[in-house]
Every structure is written in C-alpha cells, then in structure tokens.
C-alpha cells in the first residue's frame, strides 16, 4: 500500500494505492470527497483518493508519506462522513527506498542510457537510467513499481529501447525536494544510508 500527498503539485488530495492496475481494469465509485477505485475482476479495493483531505485530519510530509495512525484516522473519518464502508488491510509497502548501484553498463541501443543493477535490500532490480552522473557504488533513491511521483506519474514496469526496467532511480527534482539542483542528475545519498530502508523526506 502506497500513500501520497502533494498539495502544491496536485492539490489537497490524499492518494492511497493498494494495487497497480490499468484504467481498463478499474471501476471507479465516487461518494462526495471519496473516490474508491476497484479491481473490476474481483471487486477488491485498488485505491482510494480523498479530496479536501486536510479537512478530515492533519497531514505531514510531501510525496510518499507514512501510513501512520493519523492517516488511518483521516481515511476513516473521510469514509464515515461520505458514506463509504472501508474494509482494508493496512500493510504499507514503501514506495521509495534506498538502493545501491552494484553494476552499470552502457545501454546496447541508446548512447545516453545506462542499464543498472540496483540492490534494494530484498532483491536486485534492473533499472534503465538516463542520468549522466549515475555510477557503480552509489547509494540512491529508488522509486519502486507502483510509486506515485510528486508530479503524479505512476512508476510502472517498462521496456526502454528493448531493455526491461523495474523502477526508477530518482533525482532531487523528481522527488520534489526543496532546493533541488536545476542540472540533470540523480540524487546521490551519503554512505550512512541503509540499503532497503524507506526514503521518506
């Protein structure tokens, strides 16, 4: 389960993603400020969007945020006031984690792309990256498949110029961090960061 909030980027909307499914596989039900997205095949909840979210409770953080007791209470309050029966498993999988670039190779079909093997603690992902400063031995922020970026972009499994890519190595600008540099390049973390831990900033 991923939770996302960026008032400046997309407005006062709390977005909860439970399953990453295509639009064709969705059924959308709107009840006041609450939009419930269902999986068409099994009617399970795939996501919830709460509009005017801050009117139902306090929200701290920008981008991927922690599913804490305050956010759970906000969701319950919003659903109760808008007549939505909420039955969900509250397990949260982090959207953004600290990764370690184990290998970097030139993309076989694109001069400006690299194919990276990135250890995220539980597994090693293959990620195609276009940043000029990506290198072996770096600790980086990885947006996992299903993550929602501050821009609203949902990270999906992709094939870039014939090479599979699972996730994205992020820049400070893509993460919506304050004082992000204007020049292109991924955010390189300090060696103190622990591989596999959530990145929540």
């Amino acid at each position: 389960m991923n939770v996302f909030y960026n008032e400046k980027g997309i407005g006062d909307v709390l977005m909860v993603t439970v399953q990453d499914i295509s639009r064709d596989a969705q059924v959308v039900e709107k009840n006041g400020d609450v939009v419930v997205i269902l999986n068409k095949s099994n009617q399970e909840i795939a996501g919830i969007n709460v509009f005017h979210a801050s009117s139902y409770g306090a929200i701290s953080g920008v981008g991927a945020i922690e599913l804490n007791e305050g956010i759970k209470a906000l969701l319950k309050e919003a659903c109760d006031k808008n007549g939505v029966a909420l039955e969900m498993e509250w397990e949260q999988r982090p959207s953004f984690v600290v990764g370690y670039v184990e290998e970097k190779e030139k993309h076989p079909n694109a001069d400006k792309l690299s194919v990276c093997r990135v250890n995220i603690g539980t597994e090693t992902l293959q990620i195609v990256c276009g940043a000029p400063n990506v290198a072996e031995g770096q600790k980086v922020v990885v947006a996992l498949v299903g993550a929602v970026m501050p821009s609203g972009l949902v990270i999906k499994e992709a094939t870039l110029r014939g090479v599979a890519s699972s996730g994205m190595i992020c820049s400070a600008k893509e993460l919506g961090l304050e004082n992000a540099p204007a020049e292109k390049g991924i955010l390189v973390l300090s060696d103190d960061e622990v591989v596999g831990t959530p990145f929540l900033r």
Side-chain angles (χ1 to χ4, degrees), residues 14 31-34 48-53 55-57 71-84 86:
L14 183 72
N31 295 275
D33 283 338
V34 177
I48 297 175
N49 295 339
V50 178
F51 292 85
H52 308 108
S55 67
Y56 296 101
I71 296 299
K72 292 178 186 178
L74 184 155
L75 286 166
K76 185 177 186 308
E77 178 79 1
C79 288
D80 287 348
K81 287 190 173 180
N82 289 276
V84 177
L86 182 63

Side-chain angles (χ1 to χ4, degrees), residues 21 55 69 71 90 107-110 117 121 148 157-158 187:
I21 58 175
S55 67
E69 293 305 314
I71 296 299
W90 291 112
H107 192 292
N109 303 313
R117 300 278 295 170
V148 183
E157 296 277 0
L187 175 64

Side-chain angles (χ1 to χ4, degrees), residues 4 12 24 33 42 49-50 54-55 78 84 86 100-102 127 133 135 153 156 163 165 170 176 187 198:
F4 177 87
D12 189 13
D24 292 343
D33 283 338
N42 57 19
N49 295 339
V50 178
S54 62
S55 67
V84 177
L86 182 63
Y100 178 77
V101 182
E102 294 182 336
I127 300 176
N133 66 326
L153 173 72
K156 299 181 181 293
V163 175
S165 182
C170 303
L187 175 64

Side-chain angles (χ1 to χ4, degrees), residues 2 13 18 38 52 58 77 94 97 104 113 117 119 166 173 182:
N2 301 315
V13 183
V18 182
L38 300 172
H52 308 108
E77 178 79 1
V97 297
K104 171 198 165 183
L113 296 178
R117 300 278 295 170
N119 184 338
S166 299
K173 184 176 181 181

Side-chain angles (χ1 to χ4, degrees), residues 138-161:
Q138 292 172 333
K139 287 185 177 178
V140 297
V141 180
V142 177
L144 301 177
V145 171
V148 183
M149 302 301 294
S151 65
L153 173 72
V154 178
I155 303 301
K156 299 181 181 293
E157 296 277 0
T159 301
L160 302 174
R161 295 288 188 92

